[in-house]
Amino acid sequence: MAELTAGTWSYDSAHSEVGFTVRHAGITKVRGTFDQVDAQLVIAENIAESTIKATAQIASVNTNNADRDGHLRSADFFDADTHAAMTFESTSFDLDGEDLTIAGNLTIKGETRPVTFTGEFTGAVVDAFGATRAGASLSATISRKDFGITWNAAVEAGGVLVSDKVVINLDVAFTAPEA
């Protein structure tokens, strides 16, 4: 296994996914991704001092349903015309073996809240082309209401169309700085 060398690692969008899951009508889960994401991972000599900054373009939301994606971009949800991106900036970075916890500030629709992502550091390897890659799989659960996303509709049998709880799922890869 390769090492996490100090320096600025580049986000590998071709091998990464930033997604979300939300319960719909109380019976199913709808999944989506943000297809335009950029991130910068700075690995420090002391791993606990490492940082990450990420930006996802709201217009790139993709649930494989054009009508729903348009509604998500509207003022009812993300308001992409006013708030073009959501951002995350870490405040702490804890790697203990494979256990990874990254806390930071998530900003969606102009509202910033602390969020903690937990999951697995999946390793670092030198690929077939000589590049060093590192990956992680992380998730966090947020309340969309905390970010001013409150649109909903009642369901005839009781409950609401869109749950408040949203799970953000990150499966991300980064490439090491060139030596």
Side-chain angles (χ1 to χ4, degrees):
M1 178 145 332
E3 293 196 20
L4 288 175
T5 56
T8 301
W9 290 58
S10 300
Y11 182 71
D12 181 0
S13 61
H15 299 101
S16 298
E17 183 175 273
V18 173
F20 61 90
T21 305
V22 63
R23 188 157 305 278
H24 178 264
I27 58 168
T28 62
K29 291 182 180 177
V30 170
R31 290 167 177 78
T33 59
F34 290 93
D35 295 339
Q36 294 176 4
V37 176
D38 190 29
Q40 182 181 65
L41 172 64
V42 177
I43 299 295
E45 292 291 339
N46 174 354
I47 197 75
E49 296 174 1
S50 298
T51 60
I52 187 164
K53 292 181 182 179
T55 302
Q57 297 303 314
I58 296 300
S60 74
V61 68
N62 181 359
T63 64
N64 293 316
N65 180 297
D67 290 340
R68 180 172 48 225
D69 295 346
H71 193 201
L72 289 172
R73 291 180 190 108
S74 78
D76 284 345
F77 286 93
F78 290 115
D79 195 7
D81 288 341
T82 305
H83 304 283
M86 71 173 153
T87 61
F88 177 80
E89 188 168 341
S90 66
T91 56
S92 70
F93 192 99
D94 182 36
L95 178 60
D96 183 10
E98 293 179 352
D99 296 332
L100 179 59
T101 302
I102 302 173
N105 293 312
L106 178 64
T107 302
I108 302 173
K109 203 173 176 181
E111 296 288 334
T112 302
R113 299 283 185 265
V115 173
T116 300
F117 288 91
T118 59
E120 174 185 19
F121 168 64
T122 52
V125 298
V126 177
D127 70 14
F129 305 102
T132 300
R133 299 179 179 280
S137 181
L138 302 155
S139 66
T141 301
I142 64 168
S143 161
R144 63 187 183 93
K145 292 176 186 173
D146 287 349
F147 295 92
I149 303 172
T150 58
W151 182 90
N152 227 326
V155 176
E156 184 178 319
V160 292
L161 193 61
V162 183
S163 75
D164 178 49
K165 181 174 86 170
V166 178
V167 179
I168 301 171
N169 303 297
L170 309 174
D171 285 297
V172 294
F174 290 85
T175 55
E178 304 230 356

